[in-house]
């Protein structure tokens, strides 16, 4: 049971790394991200590494299907998710090369999220006792769109998406192994984890390759789908805990910008992780702290699943919120002797 997800992750990592090597000269020529006033980088850097991450992940899953077939319905769901993510990657690639109007970009994102939501998980209900189906679907659609965008917003520093999503995906892959989620969902998580690990050496500070919107948008969609599947098992607290740092940083930043009357669809440098680099933290110091927090969050999520009592879930969620808040506060505070 452990062997298949592990093999998927290794295969995805190898394929993604190989594709990064092969694609980088082409991306250097046609998809160069040039630094501007809102950038965290100072040297023109190719973007589009997300192509390698997605391709590596999907190739690994396809290989696993050939060696260890899954139920027809599970295979169909993964095909729907892969299709939605691929279309969203095309949208992201277009936006990387020639920026799309914000309204069109949002409409295309909504179409991809809706396609995955209504076709890959039509039977999934989170709150059947409290909400009508239409209201629940509407909330899920809004949450999915926001998650797609927040992963994109948070992908503004070398290694930060790796630090944020790899522990989450590894935890969900383990959830597939232990039967908390279905095996196919665990396979998808293992593939995403492996794809990002294969990309990581090329994105380490100072990065030689960025994900680009072609990567961050579909990675957001895949992560949202995985968390939705986890929440559908009844592990709602765990689904909230796992992405808490990314959700908190991006959501608080959005609300602050709205309160200031800023155009929230425009690029900026006001996220907590971006403030941290201004306040005296090194890039490695920021992503190291984010990675450690996410490993702790994954552990707390696991505890909330292992002991599903309401008080345990509440305690794990509260501790996760406190730890996340402490890191956000540290990032927003200038370090001693700085500034």
């Amino acid at each position: 049971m452990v062997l298949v997800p592990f093999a998927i992750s290794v295969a995805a990592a190898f394929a993604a790394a190989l594709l990064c090597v092969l694609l980088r000269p082409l991306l250097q020529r046609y998809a160069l991200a040039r630094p501007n006033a809102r950038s965290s980088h100072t040297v023109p850097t190719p973007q589009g590494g997300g192509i390698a991450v997605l391709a590596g992940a999907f190739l690994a899953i396809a290989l696993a299907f050939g060696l260890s077939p899954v139920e027809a319905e599970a295979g169909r769901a993964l095909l729907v998710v892969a299709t939605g993510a691929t279309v969203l990657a095309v949208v992201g690639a277009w936006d990387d090369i020639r920026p799309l109007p914000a309204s069109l970009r949002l409409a295309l994102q909504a179409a991809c999220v809706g396609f995955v939501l209504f076709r890959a998980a039509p039977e999934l209900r989170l709150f059947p006792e409290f909400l009508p189906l239409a209201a629940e679907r509407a909330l899920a659609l809004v949450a999915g769109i926001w998650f797609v965008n927040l992963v994109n917003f948070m992908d503004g520093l070398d290694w930060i998406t790796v630090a944020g999503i790899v522990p989450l995906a590894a935890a969900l892959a383990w959830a597939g192994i232990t039967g908390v989620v279905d095996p196919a969902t665990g396979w998808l998580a293992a593939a995403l984890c492996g794809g990002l690990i294969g990309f990581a050496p090329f994105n380490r500070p100072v990065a030689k390759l960025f994900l680009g919107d072609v990567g961050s948008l579909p990675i957001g969609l895949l992560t949202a789908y995985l968390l939705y599947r986890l929440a559908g098992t009844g592990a709602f607290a765990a689904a909230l805990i796992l992405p808490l740092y990314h959700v908190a940083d991006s959501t608080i930043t959005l609300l602050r910008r709205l309160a200031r009357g800023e155009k929230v669809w425009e690029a900026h440098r006001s996220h907590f992780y971006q403030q941290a680099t201004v306040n005296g933290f090194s890039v490695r110091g920021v992503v190291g702290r984010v990675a450690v927090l996410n490993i702790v969050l994954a552990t707390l999520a696991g505890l909330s699943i292992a002991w599903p009592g309401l008080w345990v879930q509440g305690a794990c969620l509260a501790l996760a919120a406190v730890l996340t808040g402490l890191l956000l506060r540290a990032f927003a505070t200038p370090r001693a002797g700085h500034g």
Side-chain angles (χ1 to χ4, degrees):
M1 193 67 177
V2 177
L3 184 59
V4 175
F6 179 75
I8 289 173
S9 191
V10 171
F14 178 79
L18 179 60
L19 286 168
C20 283
V21 172
L22 296 176
L23 288 172
R24 189 173 179 276
L26 189 65
L27 297 172
Q28 179 84 33
R29 184 173 181 180
Y30 294 107
L32 205 61
R34 300 188 182 278
N36 56 48
R38 296 183 176 93
S39 301
S40 296
H41 64 291
T42 57
V43 177
T45 305
Q47 58 186 342
I51 298 170
V53 174
L54 289 180
F58 293 154
L59 284 171
I61 290 180
L63 179 62
F65 274 6
L67 298 176
S68 181
V70 296
E71 296 178 4
E73 185 59 28
R76 187 196 68 81
L78 284 184
L79 182 60
V80 168
V81 175
T83 301
T86 301
V87 173
L88 194 53
V90 172
V91 173
W94 188 278
D95 203 38
D96 282 333
I97 297 169
R98 182 177 298 175
L100 296 167
S103 57
L104 176 59
R105 186 167 64 241
L106 187 64
L108 293 171
Q109 291 171 0
C112 292
V113 172
F115 175 71
V116 170
L117 176 65
F118 301 126
R119 297 298 299 275
E123 79 295 342
L124 198 57
R125 294 294 307 273
L126 301 185
F127 309 109
E129 302 89 354
F130 307 110
L131 289 176
L133 177 61
E136 184 174 316
R137 287 286 188 261
L139 286 174
L141 180 63
V142 171
I145 295 168
W146 175 228
F147 210 93
V148 165
N149 281 282
L150 76 85
V151 172
N152 177 241
F153 295 158
M154 293 294 292
D155 186 43
L157 201 65
D158 301 343
W159 257 358
I160 195 162
T161 298
V162 174
I165 304 301
V166 166
L168 181 154
L172 285 162
W174 184 253
I177 292 169
T178 55
V180 176
V181 297
D182 61 280
T185 298
W187 287 14
L188 179 60
L192 177 59
C193 181
L196 283 168
I197 289 171
F199 166 73
F202 303 89
N203 190 238
R204 75 172 184 267
V206 174
K208 294 180 174 62
L209 185 62
F210 296 152
L211 278 174
D213 287 4
V214 67
S216 60
L217 294 178
I219 287 171
L221 178 59
L222 294 178
T223 307
Y225 173 76
L226 292 170
L227 291 168
Y228 189 50
R229 280 288 187 189
L230 177 63
T233 68
F236 192 72
L240 292 175
I241 291 169
L242 281 171
L244 191 56
Y245 175 77
H246 268 47
V247 171
D249 191 327
S250 55
T251 303
I252 293 171
T253 300
L254 175 72
L255 293 175
R256 283 178 168 180
R257 296 189 71 210
L258 284 170
R260 292 193 295 262
E262 297 178 12
K263 297 178 179 178
V264 296
W265 56 88
E266 292 184 348
H268 62 95
R269 284 186 49 78
S270 52
H271 282 285
F272 287 87
Y273 72 88
Q274 292 169 322
Q275 294 176 42
T277 60
V278 176
N279 287 333
F281 289 85
S282 68
V283 172
R284 289 176 184 267
V286 172
V287 297
R289 286 166 172 79
V290 171
V292 169
L293 175 62
N294 277 290
I295 291 169
V296 174
L297 293 180
T299 302
L300 290 172
L303 291 174
S304 74
I305 293 172
W307 288 281
L310 187 60
W311 72 270
V312 175
Q313 294 192 40
C316 288
L317 189 55
L319 181 56
V322 168
L323 293 174
T324 300
L326 289 173
L327 184 58
L328 293 175
R329 181 180 179 183
F331 283 169
T333 305
R335 305 195 77 182
H338 184 81

